[in-house]
Amino acid sequence: MALSKAQKLAILVAIPTIVFLLPAPEGLSLIAWRLFGLYLATIVGLVIKPYGEPVILLAAVAASAATIGNTEGAKELVKVSQTLSGYQSGTTWLIFTAFTLSSAFVITGLGKRIAYHMIGAMGNTTLRLGYVTMFLDLLLSPATPSNTARAGGIVFPIINSVAVALGSDPETSPKKAGRYLLMNVYMVVKTTSYIFLTAMAPNALALSLMAPILGFNMNWIQWFLAASVPGLLCLFIIPFICYLISPPEMKKVDNKEIARKGLEELGPITFREKALAVLFVVALFGWIFADFLNVNATTVALITMVLCIVLSIVSWDDIRKNKAGWDTLIWYGGIIGMSSVLEKAKFFEWLADTLSKNLNFGDQGTLALMVILLLSVAVRYLFASGGAYVAAMVPVFATVGKVAGAPVELLAIGLLFSNSYGGSVTHYGGGPGPITFGAGYNDIKSWWTAGAIIAFGSLIIHATVGMAWWNYLLGMGWLGN
């Protein structure tokens, strides 16, 4: 039975209340214990959602500040102002500004235009349409940190209309083409989402939460280098796997006519689309060569956002209306701030010390690594939000892996990527899932079958090909701080 809002709020109030009433565990400061209670309530709130993420995080930040101010000895470890430190984070603003590029692809119609050109060029079979979806999502992913906006706002409407044009109806003929095409949309986006740092907002969040625990960080180009070999290998296999699991009855497609009609509806290419295409390429080069140019990725994103406004590609009103971008700014900055005060209060240090005394893999660090990565995928069955999973589990898995002797670099990279592809296991594992599944073409059995094969298959590829590639990059000094 679903919980009412009042019941959900009662749970969220009860969690920190119980923690506040209990004495702090041995070795842990009182303020760290109380902040943990608030953090735990926040994570539960992100899962059960009595309110949206921004409201939950603003309340948590306010409660954390009040707790620090009213706990004896707290200010010796952490300052009230540090609860807001997440809003000073460069990665917070990188993600927010990248949302402008994402909305620009929708507003100008450039995303649709690219898609129809790709359909016309290579979509003459349903399998090839699956690969069109893959290439389109891959092309758009560096500039669209909301994979829900990318898949739901650009890719899904096009592929859904293609399924209808092919005579595939959710009620009478789902297997004709729609079941394959729509399943493929979701499975593809869960893989493109970890190939680039800016392809999904929780990527940067996971990196920010993990860095102080493992002492490992990556910039934009290092992230892409690490993800490229295992990620692209998985990506090229996925449309074929979906094709085998949900084989479409229709094999041939009149792609030229579909593309012609789509482009006809869009009309001639506009200045705004041309300008956006140029800015998109410039932004990519800026992120790739950020170190050489002596700028950081956030600076590149801010410049790109300003140019989008100056060139009238989008207006400030468009940015103000970009609800997903502002929501992400609020909750993302809040969760980083809360994690930061926990770190300052030495909570993670205490957790690592406690776990090291009670958890022992001996000298089997590699075994510990594999067990943790397997758990990181399996536990995704319980989460309907990548952000909630990252906030709840990434610090825990990172800490457990470190004290168990897992190689910290491989642990960090493996966890960063498994967050996204692990969400493939269910039709609710990420925002695009309910959208694509909701079209009505798919059944749960085939979807979960494909999801399990793709998620755990991706894990196998990352644990073999991926780790060999990461060890090579580490050996060459191309990854890490």
Side-chain angles (χ1 to χ4, degrees):
M1 185 178 72
L3 296 172
S4 67
K5 179 179 287 189
Q7 290 172 320
K8 292 176 181 178
L9 288 174
I11 292 171
L12 298 191
V13 171
I15 292 172
T17 300
I18 293 171
V19 171
F20 276 43
L21 292 174
L22 294 174
E26 184 180 352
L28 186 65
S29 66
L30 181 61
I31 184 58
W33 177 237
R34 290 182 172 180
L35 287 172
F36 166 70
L38 292 171
Y39 188 82
L40 180 60
T42 302
I43 300 308
V44 173
L46 291 175
V47 175
I48 64 177
K49 292 187 177 179
Y51 296 101
E53 288 94 338
V55 176
I56 293 169
L57 263 302
L58 282 177
V61 167
S64 297
T67 300
I68 293 169
N70 289 280
T71 301
E72 186 177 350
K75 294 180 181 178
E76 296 176 5
L77 290 173
V78 60
K79 297 177 181 178
V80 172
S81 60
Q82 287 170 334
T83 59
L84 299 173
S85 62
Y87 298 108
Q88 300 173 352
S89 168
T91 52
T92 301
W93 288 95
L94 168 64
I95 296 303
F96 173 73
T97 50
F99 268 97
T100 301
L101 271 178
S102 175
S103 62
F105 273 97
V106 178
I107 292 168
T108 63
L110 179 60
K112 287 186 176 181
R113 189 176 299 278
I114 293 170
Y116 283 123
H117 277 297
M118 293 174 72
I119 289 170
M122 56 179 289
N124 61 342
T125 68
T126 42
L127 178 58
R128 287 193 170 194
L129 282 175
Y131 280 93
V132 167
T133 300
M134 181 267 288
F135 281 118
L136 173 63
D137 205 285
L138 181 64
L139 178 65
L140 297 175
S141 58
T144 46
S146 170
N147 57 15
T148 303
R150 183 168 73 248
I154 299 176
V155 181
F156 168 77
I158 296 168
I159 299 303
N160 191 47
S161 64
V162 168
V164 172
L166 296 177
S168 186
D169 180 84
E171 295 293 331
T172 59
S173 53
K175 294 181 179 180
K176 190 171 184 180
R179 178 166 295 182
Y180 163 66
L181 292 175
L182 273 298
M183 175 193 289
N184 185 62
V185 168
Y186 181 68
M187 299 305 169
V188 161
V189 78
K190 296 307 291 181
T191 297
T192 59
S193 291
Y194 69 82
I195 291 179
F196 301 97
L197 173 62
T198 47
M200 185 175 72
N203 288 344
L205 174 62
L207 191 59
S208 298
L209 295 177
M210 195 182 296
I213 299 171
L214 298 181
F216 180 82
N217 213 333
M218 292 191 291
N219 59 29
W220 194 92
I221 187 62
Q222 289 174 330
W223 180 294
F224 171 69
L225 278 175
S228 59
V229 171
L232 292 174
L233 176 59
C234 292
L235 191 60
F236 276 91
I237 295 172
I238 284 172
F240 186 66
I241 292 175
C242 292
Y243 191 86
L244 293 177
I245 294 171
S246 293
E249 295 169 348
M250 175 179 278
K251 308 300 182 185
K252 295 290 184 179
V253 175
D254 187 0
N255 58 311
K256 301 297 183 184
E257 180 61 16
I258 292 172
R260 185 192 67 77
K261 286 183 177 179
L263 291 170
E264 192 176 86
E265 289 177 6
L266 288 173
I269 189 169
T270 64
F271 167 78
R272 296 165 73 200
E273 291 176 83
K274 293 177 183 177
L276 177 59
V278 172
L279 284 182
F280 176 52
V281 173
V282 171
L284 280 182
F285 274 97
W287 286 327
I288 292 169
F289 298 108
D291 289 343
F292 177 77
L293 298 171
N294 200 29
V295 296
N296 61 40
T298 305
T299 303
V300 173
L302 283 168
I303 292 171
T304 305
M305 183 179 78
V306 171
L307 288 175
C308 279
I309 299 170
V310 170
L311 295 173
S312 299
I313 296 170
V314 294
S315 66
W316 180 249
D317 281 343
D318 292 325
I319 294 174
R320 286 196 306 166
K321 294 173 185 175
N322 188 356
K323 180 177 177 292
W326 291 106
D327 283 354
T328 301
L329 175 68
I330 297 301
W331 78 259
Y332 181 91
I335 199 72
I336 290 181
M338 291 195 69
S339 176
S340 175
V341 294
L342 273 176
E343 193 264 331
K344 293 289 184 183
K346 303 186 183 303
F347 174 80
F348 294 116
E349 184 178 309
W350 169 84
L351 181 62
D353 183 61
T354 302
L355 289 173
S356 65
K357 294 175 181 177
N358 296 280
L359 185 69
N360 184 19
F361 278 87
D363 58 355
Q364 300 296 315
T366 301
L367 174 61
L369 173 63
M370 296 304 171
V371 170
I372 290 169
L373 291 181
L374 178 63
L375 288 174
S376 75
V377 175
V379 78
R380 289 295 271 115
Y381 280 102
L382 305 177
F383 287 88
S385 163
Y389 161 79
V390 166
M393 302 307 301
V394 162
V396 175
F397 283 140
T399 304
V400 170
K402 181 179 180 180
V403 301
V408 292
E409 298 89 351
L410 299 182
L411 175 66
I413 300 169
L415 286 174
L416 289 170
F417 299 160
S418 69
N419 161 47
S420 181
Y421 68 74
S424 304
V425 291
T426 67
H427 58 295
Y428 54 79
I435 297 172
T436 49
F437 187 83
Y441 288 98
N442 294 97
D443 63 295
I444 291 179
K445 181 180 178 181
S446 62
W447 189 289
W448 280 42
T449 300
I453 292 172
I454 288 169
F456 289 99
S458 295
L459 174 61
I460 292 170
I461 289 174
H462 282 71
T464 52
V465 175
M467 288 190 184
W469 173 240
W470 304 334
N471 277 319
Y472 171 75
L473 293 176
L474 289 165
M476 296 296 291
W478 291 347
L479 289 184
N481 303 339

